[in-house]
């Protein structure tokens, strides 16, 4: 990955963070906004929000057009992450709690506020003078599907079942890993890229190409998250996935492909 | 309350239930949809979804125009109720778990799927040929605000704090009860009535009158939920609230006020 590509990602991520900081001021009720602020910014990085912005820019949209969707994606990721780490009694391999200061109740309630807050940002981002309502509603549908019963929650449930089967040990079944990467990070990044494309004014074909590109980017991220760079077989698979991802970008010849292609490399 | 009024409420409630049954079939992933189905229909009744439909009909809208919003309100109420009853270690006065069959993980995850599912229904209810996008986006904003950091989550957090102050005993401070009824049931019913009005094509003034009517209806419901019919002082307050509520309906002279007025009576 070139210096340019890396600084492109960094500049989008910084813009999303600055946008979120403006949106979540420390205002009343402080008992909700203060932990919401902490939970929003303490979450491990996830490339889906930045990919959403990059997809919007690739198809000629302005960065600001995708900013609400990127913020919503980040908030939903942070909410899901916090709930995933809630200390519950029936988790076979409980993840370490990330917000011990607050206790389980706040870790349950505050993410329940972050999700509607994300939808509010999206709905308010509509600009009736620019005739964007249809695009915004489509993005709300896309995001709802990826976070709903056939999306993220299905993936988290499978992860839970695999944890139970596995008796609490590390995963080493390649097929299972691929399946989880597809259902969790794959779906999320596919949705993020498609949303960015829609908001940037892409046509249907461009949107679907970017959705597939996002899917492969997500699966790569899933592998890196799960097995790191240690396992050679997985690394081979990452190379294959990268080639599949980059192939989707061939549809965008003549456009600024270099910037968005960086997402197919681990960073 | 007359027989007519009571059967009006019952007919709306039955229609919402039938609509939800169609929307949540027992399809894959069954591990998510089966408990989602149960959690949706096992929740104690809440009059906000039916009030949303009644407000839509009062201003001349068709019942079907408010059905997605009513379903979303019901799903969000059911999700919030299930999370409220999650067995967590730091609850001073834990509520009885309602879905013991599933264990805490499913009680956490499935409501996390129900909320986006509600937003998806709303976004998909837009009919571009009828130019409804603006209304649907406004309703999404209204619902997000009432479920977000300054709405339901703030109310639940206050309820939690009051429970801690109270050392686990029953509440008997009238001011505290009124505050909680206003912040929880009051806000939710105000939002429900306003959403119904918006979807029914009400003007701004009608929407605001119905929002205030909904607010008083919610506070009445809150009192009935919390103190029942035993405490005379509270009953006096309920009478006052009922008069305030009915006063708002005077703005709708010549319209079918009788039906919606039943919501100001406990049922």
């Amino acid at each position: 990955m070139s210096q340019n590509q890396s600084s492109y990602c960094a500049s989008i991520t910084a813009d999303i963070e600055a946008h979120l900081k403006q949106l979540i001021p420390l205002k009343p009720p402080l008992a909700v906004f203060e932990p919401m602020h902490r939970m929003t910014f303490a979450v491990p990085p996830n490339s889906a929000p930045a990919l959403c912005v990059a997809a919007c820019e690739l198809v000629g949209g302005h960065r600001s057009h995708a900013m609400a969707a990127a913020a919503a994606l980040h908030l939903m990721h942070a909410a899901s992450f916090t709930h995933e780490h809630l200390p519950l009694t029936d988790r076979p391999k409980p993840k370490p709690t990330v917000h011990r200061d607050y206790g389980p109740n706040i870790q349950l309630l505050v993410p329940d506020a972050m999700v509607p807050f994300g939808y509010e940002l999206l709905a308010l981002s509509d600009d009736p003078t620019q005739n964007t309502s249809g695009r915004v509603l489509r993005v709300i549908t896309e995001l709802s599907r990826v976070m709903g019963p056939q999306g993220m929650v299905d993936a988290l449930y499978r992860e839970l079942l695999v944890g139970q089967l596995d008796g609490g040990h590390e995963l080493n079944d390649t097929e299972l890993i691929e399946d989880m990467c597809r259902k969790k990070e794959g779906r999320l990044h596919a949705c993020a890229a498609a949303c960015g494309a829609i908001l940037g004014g892409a046509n249907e074909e461009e949107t679907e190409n970017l959705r597939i590109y996002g899917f492969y980017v997500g699966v790569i991220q899933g592998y890196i998250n799960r097995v790191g760079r240690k396992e050679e077989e997985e690394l081979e698979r990452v190379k294959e996935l990268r080639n599949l991802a980059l192939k989707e970008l061939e549809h965008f010849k003549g456009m600024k492909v270099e910037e968005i292609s960086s997402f197919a490399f681990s960073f």
Side-chain angles (χ1 to χ4, degrees), chain A residues 32-265:
Chain A
V32 180
F33 275 108
E34 194 273 329
M36 184 164 150
H37 198 275
R38 287 261 297 272
M39 287 171 192
T40 302
F41 298 109
V43 75
N46 180 298
S47 47
L51 177 62
C52 174
V53 175
C56 174
E57 291 192 325
L58 177 71
V59 298
H62 191 272
R63 186 168 293 197
S64 63
H65 296 155
M67 213 34 100
L73 272 161
H74 182 92
L75 284 163
M76 288 170 196
H77 160 64
S80 173
F81 177 84
T82 309
H83 274 183
E84 248 188 284
H85 289 76
L86 196 62
L88 290 176
T89 49
D90 65 342
R91 293 203 156 154
K93 193 170 64 172
K95 301 195 177 189
T97 306
V98 281
H99 296 292
R100 284 186 193 281
D101 302 358
Y102 298 117
N105 261 306
I106 296 299
Q107 291 175 57
L108 170 69
L109 277 181
V110 172
D112 281 352
M114 288 159 81
V115 172
F117 188 66
Y119 283 104
E120 186 186 343
L121 297 181
L122 269 172
L124 290 176
S125 73
D126 176 40
D127 181 352
T129 64
Q130 298 295 311
N131 203 18
T132 55
S133 311
R135 287 182 194 176
V136 171
L137 281 166
R138 219 179 129 191
V139 165
I140 291 174
T141 307
E142 291 273 353
L143 261 180
S144 301
R145 280 193 185 142
V146 85
M147 300 310 296
Q150 291 174 298
M152 193 55 75
V153 171
D154 173 40
L156 290 173
Y157 183 74
R158 280 164 192 263
E159 214 168 50
L160 197 77
L161 280 187
V162 169
Q164 277 164 347
L165 285 173
D166 197 42
H169 298 296
E170 285 308 309
L171 267 177
N172 52 16
D173 182 316
T174 315
E175 250 180 72
L176 266 180
I177 297 179
E178 173 96 11
D179 184 60
M180 290 200 298
C181 295
R182 285 173 168 259
K183 294 214 160 63
K184 196 174 173 183
E185 291 89 346
R187 279 175 183 165
L188 183 70
H189 285 74
C191 164
C195 288
I198 293 164
L199 293 166
N203 63 32
E204 288 307 314
E205 203 188 336
E206 289 169 330
T207 303
E208 292 317 307
N209 289 331
L210 279 168
R211 190 192 299 279
I212 301 170
Y213 174 70
F215 175 74
Y216 288 125
V217 166
V219 182
I220 294 170
Q221 289 290 313
Y223 267 99
I224 307 289
N225 292 346
R226 279 177 180 78
V227 299
R229 296 181 148 281
K230 281 172 285 180
E231 307 288 331
E232 208 176 304
E233 193 192 349
E234 271 73 31
L235 261 186
E236 231 12 85
R237 180 67 185 131
V238 167
K239 278 184 207 152
E240 277 170 37
L241 289 161
R242 189 170 292 149
N243 289 335
L244 289 165
L246 296 177
K247 213 170 156 54
E248 290 302 316
L249 296 182
E250 290 173 10
H251 301 275
F252 297 92
K253 266 182 189 147
M255 288 154 112
K256 290 179 183 168
V257 167
E258 199 201 351
E259 284 88 341
I260 199 171
S261 67
S262 59
F263 286 83
F265 297 86

